[in-house]
Amino acid sequence: MPLYHNDDQAMLKDSVAPFVAEQAPVSHLRKLRDSADATGFSRDLWAQFTEMGLPGMLVPEAHGGLGMGHMEAGIVLEEIGRNLTPSPFLATSVGAVAALAKAGGTQAGRWLPAIASGEAIVALAIDEGAKHRPDRIAATATRSGNGFRLDGKKSFVLHGHVADMSIVAAKTDGGITLFAVPKNAKGMTADPRRLVDSSLASHVTLDGVEVDADAVIGEVDAGGEILDALLAATRTGAAAEMVGVGQGAMDMTVTYLKERKQFGKLIGEFQGLQHRAAHLYGEMEVARATVMKAQQLLDEGSEGARLMVSVAKAKAGRAANLAVREGVQMHGGIGMTDEYDIGLYMKRDRALAEFMGDVHYHIDQVARMNGY
Amino acid sequence: MSDLDAFRAEVRGWLEANCPAEMREPIREEGDVCWGGRNWVFKNDAQKAWLEACVAKGYTVPDWPKPYGGAGLTPEETKILKQEMKRINARSPLDSFGIWMLGPALLQFGTEEQKVQYLNPIARGEIRWCQGYSEPGSGSDLVSLQTFGEDKGDHWVVNGSKIWTSYADKADWIFCLVRTDKTNKYQGITFMLFDMESPGVTTKPILLISGNSPFCETFFDDVEVPKTQYIGEINRGWDVAKYLLGHEREMISGGGAGGDMVSIGGAFAKAFGKNAAGELDDPILRAEMAAFDVDVFAYRAMGERFMDMWKTGRAHPASSNMMKYVGTELNKRRHELVMSGGGSEALEWDSEETKGGARARGWLRTKANSIEGGTSEVMLNVIAKRILDLPGA
């Protein structure tokens, strides 16, 4: 497979890009923020996403989805990133779908069609501390009657307070097990916090939550592999969204360099700024290629996907961060104002950078995978 | 079995029968590289046999048409041949500026007669070429060049000098940019070819910080060049030069000075040890190496995407400038880490254990990567103007 979008993928982009830009531009985010919206995204917009079939892109056709791949999901995520569109797409349609499709069984049959039809929002309850450390999950699931009893705390759970179901990772006797915990489960509370980018993420408390045995996603103790699939998909998706954020910020900045005059010249004429913009362009192109490579390897089910996923999250993290920092700096004073959009890009980048492992976490992973 | 599978099987068989064992060893020193040319002395029989076998098959330039010494392979077949050669670690049968730079320009701009005349000896490794672009004081600013060819009817008389002409002292012929019209800065340059044994040509090696001397100063004193020996149109040599520079940048950013873009952290962990946790025994260096390795894997993905897009005409024409910039800066970073990881051993300049100070000399050599073939700053200018469309200063 060549590393560019084929005709079908280009067509998908041609329909998704104008749709997101028209229906959910940055002003959409501002409106939700300024009205102190309590959901974190627009249900109306999600209904429009559903009309286009987007929530079920990665859902296998047998479960009512489109059976597409990460390359296609990445197209949607890049546009979401470029427009800073608040949406449950990444957690629900990418992360949760990857886990459920990998596991199969009862929970896949129950939730995949509901995701594809736009009815179900799913939250990913993985992290427990300020930093992403999935190898140190401390929440527990102990056998209780015919099912399990869940105890522990989760943090940074996107959409946790409105999710119809949460995928909870917990320690069991022989490993990690993933559970599908439905909304309003007794003993589970979600305390939403507004983040720097205006999105809402919850601290979730599990206090003796009782679930049936069939709430297990996949097999007991064998959740590690399913969690890996969830993480690989979500990290790659976050990287694709960051490429969108970085591209959006870079485009705004380059446009500004061509319009803003100082000292009687367009500031884009100054070589000092030209070189920084050109360097940024190179970094963004490399990041884009890397994310596409990770998507391609995931879609092929390749062994090399794990390494490239961490490379992509790290590289996209570095490049997008450079884009937003240069964006604010090159905009000068106006870049510091709330009224101007560039600062919103910086905020979203910060949140995505932290989500599912920051640059340092993934650089460390690359070192480990290479034996040092 | 598909045609391509059959081709792969055929190539495997041919390589098995024709690539000598000595040619399946990594390049260890300059003499292992086969440059060819009139005065070439083969290092051993294997080097000679390997070149001759490849020449007979058209495999020194597999994707060139057969009448010009190639094998006429399709891009897919060429890729398979390269994969199969890499699989057995086969050395390149012939390294040549004729193949990398002049050949593609001749294929694009040469007349039928010129193609037959020049491409075949290039494919056979009979003529070693050098490139006469830069001049003292001009650097990357090639349009400012001063070497002048005075029109004498059926020939030019060329006077001037060139600098940074790689291996000019070993080359048989030169492809050269010569000003033929002083009134037009851009459209007054002609792309000429001539024999380095022509009366009036002299060369002088330039000693570099690496202690080596691959570059020369080259002087032209009333050199006569027949009017049949130019490529493209008279005074439009810039078109040829630009086309050729695109290929040079691909080479420098790709396999050439770009080095082999592989992970380095693992090798250093083996060399100077890991701690009890199985991690490289210097946490800061480990972090720097791992951050570098992330960029290496990322750059490889970019290289793949660039080639896929370039071959199908999807790449922006100036994207080779971006590849050159990113690749050469990355290669310089690699060699800084190689020195850092090597410690005091990497400082040794002439010991046998360090293969004559290979690491130190290699590190110093890479400093030229972001200067030769257009400086990083020139690459950034091109990206800013041609891709980002920023206003001219």
Side-chain angles (χ1 to χ4, degrees), chain A residues 40-356:
Chain A
F41 60 91
S42 156
R43 297 267 182 192
D44 288 344
L45 182 70
W46 194 241
Q48 286 179 283
F49 266 59
T50 305
E51 275 171 38
M52 293 187 72
L54 302 182
M57 287 177 86
L58 287 171
V59 172
E61 289 176 72
H63 288 291
L66 298 175
M68 289 179 168
H70 293 278
M71 195 76 115
E72 285 83 6
I75 290 169
V76 176
L77 283 160
E78 186 175 338
E79 297 312 316
I80 285 175
R82 192 190 308 271
N83 294 283
L84 307 183
T85 308
S87 136
F89 186 85
L90 178 56
T92 300
S93 303
V94 178
V97 168
L100 291 163
K102 170 94 181 168
T106 315
Q107 295 303 328
R110 160 81 184 84
W111 291 103
L112 287 175
I115 291 171
S117 66
E119 291 158 39
I121 304 298
V122 181
L124 311 174
I126 312 293
D127 288 353
E128 302 187 350
K131 299 302 282 186
H132 177 69
R133 296 289 182 267
D135 54 334
R136 291 189 210 157
I137 285 170
T140 55
T142 44
R143 293 215 183 250
S144 163
N146 289 330
F148 290 85
R149 178 198 153 102
L150 304 177
D151 290 282
K153 286 184 191 308
K154 295 287 178 178
S155 57
F156 202 11
V157 182
L158 302 182
H159 327 296
H161 65 304
V162 291
D164 300 283
M165 183 268 272
S166 296
I167 295 182
V168 175
K171 245 176 26 182
T172 38
D173 290 341
I176 293 287
T177 306
L178 299 188
F179 295 89
V181 182
K183 195 176 191 172
N184 302 326
K186 195 164 167 248
M188 181 168 78
T189 50
D191 174 15
R193 320 287 174 93
R194 198 166 296 280
L195 306 185
V196 67
D197 64 339
S198 307
S199 67
L200 289 161
S202 294
H203 285 228
V204 171
T205 306
L206 302 153
D207 184 11
V209 178
E210 300 277 351
V211 292
D212 293 341
D214 73 0
V216 172
I217 298 173
E219 305 280 334
V220 177
D221 296 337
E225 260 185 58
I226 302 166
L227 179 60
D228 281 348
L230 180 153
L231 293 174
T234 318
R235 290 164 175 168
T236 305
E241 191 172 336
M242 278 193 285
V243 166
V245 170
Q247 189 71 44
M250 185 177 95
D251 290 347
M252 266 189 87
T253 307
V254 170
T255 301
Y256 189 71
L257 294 179
K258 295 175 190 174
E259 289 169 352
R260 169 72 172 158
K261 282 193 167 179
Q262 285 265 271
F263 309 106
K265 279 181 169 184
L266 291 169
I267 60 173
E269 290 180 53
F270 295 116
Q271 199 177 45
L273 296 187
Q274 286 193 347
H275 282 190
R276 279 161 52 188
H279 171 75
L280 170 59
Y281 170 81
E283 291 298 292
M284 284 301 304
E285 283 300 296
V286 175
R288 178 187 304 282
T290 310
V291 172
M292 288 177 91
K293 188 70 198 172
Q295 292 164 346
Q296 187 190 70
L297 293 175
L298 276 183
D299 285 337
E300 288 170 357
S302 161
E303 288 281 314
R306 218 169 128 244
L307 173 69
M308 198 49 76
V309 167
S310 275
V311 171
K313 184 72 167 64
K315 185 70 199 174
R318 279 269 157 92
N321 185 254
L322 181 67
V324 298
R325 283 187 290 113
E326 289 289 49
V328 169
Q329 177 67 21
M330 290 195 201
H331 274 82
I334 199 172
M336 292 301 297
T337 63
D338 180 70
E339 187 190 340
Y340 220 71
D341 288 343
I342 191 72
L344 298 177
Y345 281 85
M346 181 171 269
K347 293 175 179 181
R348 173 78 98 227
D349 170 66
R350 188 61 249 153
L352 283 168
E354 211 57 51
F355 188 57
M356 296 294 174

Side-chain angles (χ1 to χ4, degrees), chain B residues 68-84:
Chain B
Y68 311 140
L73 300 190
T74 63
E76 293 78 19
E77 289 168 339
T78 305
K79 194 170 171 187
I80 288 172
L81 176 63
K82 283 185 181 158
Q83 285 169 348
E84 290 302 317

Side-chain angles (χ1 to χ4, degrees), chain B residues 172-389:
Chain B
D172 304 312
W173 276 59
I174 186 167
F175 50 95
C176 195
L177 289 174
V178 177
R179 184 161 294 288
T180 39
D181 181 353
K182 289 183 178 170
T183 62
N184 191 327
K185 198 177 171 200
Y186 287 88
Q187 298 192 0
I189 293 167
T190 301
F191 191 97
M192 294 182 194
L193 319 174
F194 55 88
D195 196 318
M196 291 292 279
E197 284 180 7
S198 308
V201 179
T202 50
T203 63
K204 194 172 104 190
I206 305 167
L207 189 64
L208 299 186
I209 51 177
S210 63
N212 294 331
S213 185
F215 297 107
C216 293
E217 280 182 277
T218 306
F219 305 94
F220 308 133
D221 186 14
D222 286 337
V223 178
E224 288 190 17
V225 180
K227 281 250 184 106
T228 49
Q229 294 177 187
Y230 66 94
I231 303 298
E233 292 175 42
I234 290 176
N235 291 332
R236 297 300 297 266
W238 191 233
D239 297 344
V240 185
K242 271 198 297 194
Y243 182 83
L244 193 151
L245 276 173
H247 277 269
E248 183 181 7
R249 273 165 204 152
E250 253 177 75
M251 185 191 75
I252 290 174
S253 63
D260 55 337
M261 288 295 184
V262 295
S263 161
I264 59 170
F268 274 100
K270 274 185 204 139
F272 66 79
K274 299 184 196 181
N275 62 22
E279 293 168 0
L280 195 60
D281 192 19
D282 175 336
I284 310 296
L285 187 58
R286 173 182 186 268
E288 279 195 27
M289 284 194 173
F292 171 80
D293 279 346
V294 162
D295 280 336
V296 163
F297 292 117
Y299 181 74
R300 276 165 57 177
M302 182 68 236
E304 187 181 332
R305 177 166 155 81
F306 171 71
M307 288 315 291
D308 286 344
M309 293 183 74
W310 191 259
K311 279 181 196 153
T312 51
R314 285 171 166 81
H316 189 288
S319 54
S320 62
N321 299 76
M322 183 271 288
M323 289 299 290
K324 202 263 176 188
Y325 168 67
V326 177
T328 54
E329 294 298 329
L330 196 56
N331 201 43
K332 287 198 298 180
R333 219 170 109 205
R334 164 188 295 277
H335 283 261
E336 288 294 337
L337 286 169
V338 164
M339 289 304 286
S340 196
S344 65
E345 283 176 14
L347 302 176
E348 292 181 14
W349 192 243
D350 54 10
S351 63
E352 208 170 292
E353 303 95 299
T354 64
K355 292 178 190 141
R359 271 177 292 189
R361 291 170 195 272
W363 160 65
L364 290 163
R365 171 67 184 85
T366 61
K367 299 307 171 196
N369 293 167
S370 50
I371 299 169
E372 62 203 341
T375 63
S376 281
E377 288 70 22
V378 166
M379 296 303 116
L380 292 172
N381 285 345
V382 173
I383 296 165
K385 301 222 166 51
R386 292 185 58 204
I387 299 182
L388 299 179
D389 198 26

